[in-house]
Amino acid sequence: MEVPTGFMVVCLLLSCFVATSYGVYFSSLNETLIVTATHTKNQVLKAGEEKITVTWRFNKTYKAGTDSAYKTVKVKLCYAPISQKDRSWRKTEDRLKKDKTCPHKIVARPYTASNNSFTWTIERDIPTGVYFVRAYALDAQEQEVAYGQSTDAKKSTNLFEVQAITGRHASLDIASVCFSAFSIVSLAGFFYMEKRKGKAAQQK
Amino acid sequence: MNTMDVSQNPDNNYRKFALPVDSEHKATEFRLFSIATPHMRAFHLSWISFFACFVSTFAAPPLLPIIRDNLNLTATDIGNAGIAAVSGAVFARVAMGTACDLFGPRLASSSLILLTAPAVFFSAIANSPSAFLMVRFFTGFSLATFVSTQFWMSSMFSPNVVGTANGLSGGWGNLGGGATQLIMPLVYSLIHNNIGSTKFTAWRIAFFIPAIFQALSAYAIFFLGQDMPDGNYVRLENSGEKHKDSFTQVFYHAITNYRGWILALTYGYCFGVELTIDNIIAQYFYDRFNVNLHTAGIIAASFGLANLFSRPGGGILSDVVAKRYGMRGRLWTLWVVQMIGGLLCLLLGKIGSLSGSVAVMLVFSVFVQAACGLTFGVVPFVSRRSLGVISGMTGGGGNVGAVLTQVIFFRGSRYSTEEGISLMGVMIMCCTLVILFIYFPQWGGLFCGPKKGVTEEDYYLAEWTAAEKEQGFHKMSIKFSENSRRERGKIGASVPIQSDKDTPPTIV
């Protein structure tokens, strides 16, 4: 009885070692976590103002003990395929070190199998786009060993939209317009001064 | 002889200049650390204002990682904005050349700089991909100050140092394209980290810095500069010392001079290539060699920063070679240096290692920028009457080259970036071949010597009709012809000057 569990633990540890040498590949991870992200459906969420609530728990249909290596959980905000289109800086790569699908961190917590929930106000530097939430389970070496996401494998369901802040302020608008107007007016002043100088030279 | 006394004309005050001058009062020496009026002051005003325009035009690329998230840009939007930034100046440069011929470089450049400053201010409030494209397009017009820079230097400096003056002012202006890759991220992080603005506000505030710098440089030009060694156009024209030329004549003599068109084409494949590289090289190193964005930015900056010495080096080399070999030496050196530049570009796309690529890129930058300096060692001699429009055509041709290369090789996914770079190298070499066709009857070309008996006066005075000559409008061309005698080189100097045309070349 003890041999299989011990064997499994050794296998897990070995696979961790292998993973560290070559970098972790997303396709090697199992989706052992169930992640949900709740928000009001069909509403565009405003960055800096609105919240989403993320919950995650271990999927009990997997063998008990699968999650023995999980030490921390990192929850991230990820781009849906439509927001990655024609934007190679958000490209999905299988090698997690090079993967740019999930650049925005939501929260990191020590791992517990259930009762995990976090309400997150969408930060002000989140760009406009369509998103889903993914949670990575990390082992003691900070390597990804499992994941869960709030959408399906094709990343087409349960997506939500975020509207970014513009970054503009009334003071900036006014300053821009004033400085521009001043430039044009001073140019007109230059021409006037030149004409006067010219007339003076003519009279000499 | 330290000063020239124009005492033939009693109305002219005796003028003493800080530098030695020729008969047109153009300086025959170049003293970098002087700010004496009018020559060296004009030099410093022109390179600083041109530098400011370059900083503004390329202020967006280093901040793109933030701007693209704020404005929700796609790769296509970014590519189009990059092309827009360099395409505006194509016609603006020709227009600027005309404006310099008609109104003088001081008014022409300060006007353009002040007219484009609003585009930089409005960059701070851009809210969509199309707004971004528009502000980059209009800001790019400011690159036409290149033409006023070269025109101003050609008006202030004698043929023996004009290559040096043009190369230094052009090169130190182009430096702005490299410096901005370091300046803008620095300003942004000061605003974001130290003042605490959010990312999407901080980049907007950062744009005020290049905008204000640009506007201030225009004021400096207007109040501190002057068009020619003897004064400003408006004063000289109204007192009768300078004739106000006709636009149609000036334009006609420029576009009918085939040498202007050849140089426009070849400039597209040194300067145009330089602009294209400014736009794509950071991404190239980031994608192919997996350096981080910060490192890619430093590599990109070093390409532009080589302009500190490489473009001026080209100008100085042009003058040094001309001392012994005259215009033929200038043309040969231009051809050789630009060909080597093309070869290095071809090589750059083929190298697979990071350190090898950086090394080749640096050598490539020196050759391609030196070719720019060498081109403007030849341009001042193509025409005297239409110097501005010729400079404008050549400068505009540079931007056309940038648009063409980006559209053919660096748009969409037809070619990978490294394939595009190598193919661009091949195109450089093919287009440089046309230099073989440049021929000055009084000095020769690459393979042919000068025509016997043809003088500089024959060439430059042919731009004026008999009626215009009768009224004495062509005086400046006579003086220029004499001063450009040096372009025969040491070999040609001993040939006696025989002119069988009507007017003897003397000043009354």
Side-chain angles (χ1 to χ4, degrees):
Chain A
M1 263 300 156
E2 286 166 23
V3 176
T5 18
F7 183 67
M8 252 175 51
V9 171
V10 168
C11 269
L12 261 167
L13 281 170
L14 268 175
S15 62
C16 288
F17 263 81
V18 169
T20 5
S21 352
Y22 294 104
V24 183
Y25 287 83
F26 184 70
S27 47
S28 70
L29 301 179
N30 282 324
E31 195 176 352
T32 62
L33 299 175
I34 298 176
V35 178
T36 61
T38 46
H39 50 89
T40 320
K41 225 176 171 180
N42 292 331
Q43 190 200 10
V44 174
L45 303 167
K46 290 214 186 97
E49 288 173 24
E50 298 184 18
K51 307 186 205 295
I52 55 169
T53 305
V54 185
T55 68
W56 62 97
R57 65 177 203 281
F58 180 66
N59 187 348
K60 295 233 161 54
T61 59
Y62 283 86
K63 261 207 183 93
T66 318
D67 60 347
S68 50
Y70 304 175
K71 287 284 174 281
T72 40
V73 170
K74 264 201 187 136
V75 185
K76 291 182 156 183
L77 188 67
C78 310
Y79 293 110
I82 190 166
S83 285
Q84 294 175 297
K85 195 165 159 221
D86 204 9
R87 292 177 177 93
S88 54
W89 57 90
R90 294 179 183 171
K91 214 164 139 195
T92 298
E93 297 269 352
D94 200 26
R95 242 183 102 190
L96 284 178
K97 270 205 171 76
K98 288 196 72 182
D99 182 40
K100 303 204 175 86
T101 322
C102 304
H104 306 289
K105 191 173 135 193
I106 296 179
V107 71
R109 284 271 174 83
Y111 172 75
T112 54
S114 55
N115 277 339
N116 297 297
S117 159
F118 183 72
T119 303
W120 185 62
T121 311
I122 300 174
E123 268 164 36
R124 300 181 75 208
D125 61 357
I126 301 295
T128 302
V130 182
Y131 295 88
F132 62 96
V133 173
R134 183 182 286 170
Y136 286 108
L138 306 162
D139 64 9
Q141 281 82 35
E142 301 269 313
Q143 293 286 320
E144 294 83 356
V145 287
Y147 78 98
Q149 59 191 26
S150 65
T151 181
D152 63 357
K154 286 213 191 92
K155 300 185 251 182
S156 55
T157 58
N158 277 338
L159 304 170
F160 56 95
E161 237 188 287
V162 172
Q163 176 72 40
I165 61 166
T166 61
R168 284 172 65 176
H169 291 278
S171 51
L172 271 181
D173 291 359
I174 294 173
S176 276
V177 173
C178 286
F179 275 102
S180 302
F182 186 73
S183 303
I184 305 293
V185 167
S186 53
L187 180 62
F190 287 177
F191 277 116
Y192 176 68
M193 283 171 69
E194 275 303 280
K195 258 215 155 104
R196 270 184 45 195
K197 265 194 223 160
K199 286 215 176 91
Q202 220 165 23
Q203 277 155 18
K204 264 201 189 140
Chain B
M1 225 188 308
N2 256 348
T3 54
M4 290 297 280
D5 189 351
V6 198
S7 52
Q8 295 278 18
N9 186 346
D11 284 342
N12 247 338
N13 294 324
Y14 172 85
R15 286 203 183 91
K16 198 170 153 82
F17 294 103
L19 298 172
V21 295
D22 64 15
S23 65
E24 285 185 281
H25 293 175
K26 295 183 184 178
T28 53
E29 257 179 47
F30 187 86
R31 287 196 202 139
L32 186 56
F33 296 108
S34 150
I35 50 164
T37 10
H39 308 99
M40 293 315 301
R41 184 175 290 191
F43 167 73
H44 289 292
L45 285 171
S46 59
W47 81 258
I48 290 176
S49 59
F50 185 40
F51 178 93
C53 294
F54 243 98
V55 169
S56 303
T57 305
F58 291 98
L63 295 183
L64 268 176
I66 297 128
I67 300 176
R68 68 191 178 196
D69 278 345
N70 192 182
L71 302 182
N72 208 15
L73 304 175
T74 62
T76 309
D77 293 329
I78 294 173
N80 287 341
I83 293 172
V86 296
S87 53
V90 171
F91 293 107
R93 284 181 164 202
V94 181
M96 181 59 125
T98 318
C100 283
D101 280 326
L102 300 177
F103 306 114
R106 175 178 152 263
L107 261 190
S109 62
S110 54
S111 305
L112 177 69
I113 294 173
L114 276 181
L115 282 173
T116 48
V120 193
F121 285 117
F122 282 125
S123 304
I125 59 177
N127 220 9
S128 65
S130 37
F132 183 64
L133 186 113
M134 295 297 279
V135 293
R136 281 212 78 187
F137 177 66
F138 286 111
T139 307
F141 276 61
S142 67
L143 288 188
T145 39
F146 166 73
V147 177
S148 53
T149 301
Q150 303 293 287
F151 183 97
W152 211 358
M153 294 300 96
S154 304
S155 308
M156 286 284 179
F157 291 92
S158 194
N160 67 321
V161 287
V162 77
T164 306
N166 277 343
L168 273 165
S169 59
W172 286 10
N174 282 19
L175 211 59
T180 195
Q181 313 258 8
L182 299 171
I183 294 174
M184 292 305 285
L186 186 68
V187 172
Y188 164 80
S189 66
L190 275 173
I191 298 173
H192 176 52
N193 297 324
N194 296 32
I195 302 181
S197 306
T198 55
K199 281 162 90 170
F200 292 172
T201 304
W203 77 262
R204 295 172 181 280
I205 302 176
F207 263 81
F208 275 83
I209 304 299
I212 293 174
F213 179 29
Q214 191 177 316
L216 287 177
S217 68
Y219 294 132
I221 292 177
F222 182 78
F223 289 111
L224 301 174
Q226 93 190 27
D227 291 313
M228 298 176 81
D230 291 332
N232 286 319
Y233 272 31
V234 74
R235 192 188 68 77
L236 295 173
E237 279 164 7
N238 285 337
S239 66
E241 281 176 66
K242 185 185 180 305
H243 147 69
K244 189 171 169 66
D245 212 342
S246 120
F247 166 70
T248 35
Q249 285 295 311
V250 163
F251 201 69
Y252 172 76
H253 285 292
I255 60 175
T256 50
N257 194 328
Y258 75 94
R259 300 167 196 84
W261 292 102
I262 291 182
L263 289 173
L265 173 63
T266 60
Y267 197 59
Y269 288 90
C270 53
F271 182 64
V273 163
E274 185 186 333
L275 288 182
T276 298
I277 298 276
D278 274 340
N279 263 338
I280 61 125
I281 198 72
Q283 254 177 319
Y284 172 67
F285 277 95
Y286 182 76
D287 288 335
R288 192 171 184 198
F289 300 105
N290 302 318
V291 297
N292 62 39
L293 209 67
H294 188 68
T295 311
I298 294 179
I299 299 175
S302 63
F303 177 84
L305 290 176
N307 266 302
L308 181 68
F309 57 86
S310 50
R311 187 180 173 130
I316 294 171
L317 183 63
S318 190
D319 288 336
V320 162
V321 166
K323 263 194 211 146
R324 187 165 158 76
Y325 299 105
M327 175 56 68
R328 293 184 75 185
R330 291 189 196 262
L331 290 170
W332 265 106
T333 318
L334 169 60
W335 189 79
V336 168
V337 168
Q338 191 157 321
M339 277 303 215
I340 297 179
L343 199 62
L344 287 165
C345 188
L346 172 66
L347 195 60
L348 179 63
K350 304 262 181 223
I351 297 211
S353 76
L354 173 62
S355 43
S357 268
V358 174
V360 170
M361 185 203 74
L362 289 173
V363 182
F364 165 57
S365 71
V366 170
F367 276 87
V368 80
Q369 290 160 9
C372 297
L374 283 156
T375 307
F376 274 85
V378 175
V379 164
F381 299 99
V382 171
S383 162
R384 179 62 190 89
R385 186 175 190 181
S386 312
L387 171 65
V389 183
I390 294 280
S391 301
M393 276 165 63
T394 309
N399 282 57
V400 170
V403 172
L404 274 178
T405 50
Q406 281 179 95
V407 168
I408 298 174
F409 301 120
F410 300 107
R411 198 171 178 236
S413 17
R414 188 137 151 253
Y415 302 110
S416 68
T417 312
E418 55 261 33
E419 275 173 356
I421 293 177
S422 289
L423 288 171
M424 187 164 71
V426 173
M427 200 169 184
I428 295 173
M429 290 194 280
C430 292
C431 292
T432 307
L433 287 172
V434 295
I435 296 181
L436 297 170
F437 297 113
I438 297 186
Y439 181 75
F440 287 92
Q442 71 274 35
W443 299 318
L446 278 196
F447 291 119
C448 308
K451 256 199 200 135
K452 260 214 174 88
V454 177
T455 67
E456 289 75 11
E457 279 78 3
D458 299 330
Y459 181 80
Y460 291 110
L461 295 184
E463 294 180 319
W464 303 90
T465 64
E468 288 167 334
K469 284 187 206 166
E470 231 165 85
Q471 297 191 62
F473 290 158
H474 60 305
K475 283 192 198 142
M476 62 178 185
S477 291
I478 297 178
K479 290 185 191 170
F480 185 72
S481 306
E482 286 186 1
N483 292 321
S484 63
R485 208 85 70 198
R486 296 173 228 247
E487 295 306 309
R488 293 173 178 233
K490 287 228 163 65
I491 308 121
S494 53
V495 175
I497 301 153
Q498 275 299 336
S499 177
D500 46 12
K501 296 283 179 199
D502 39 355
T503 331
T506 52
I507 311 170
V508 175

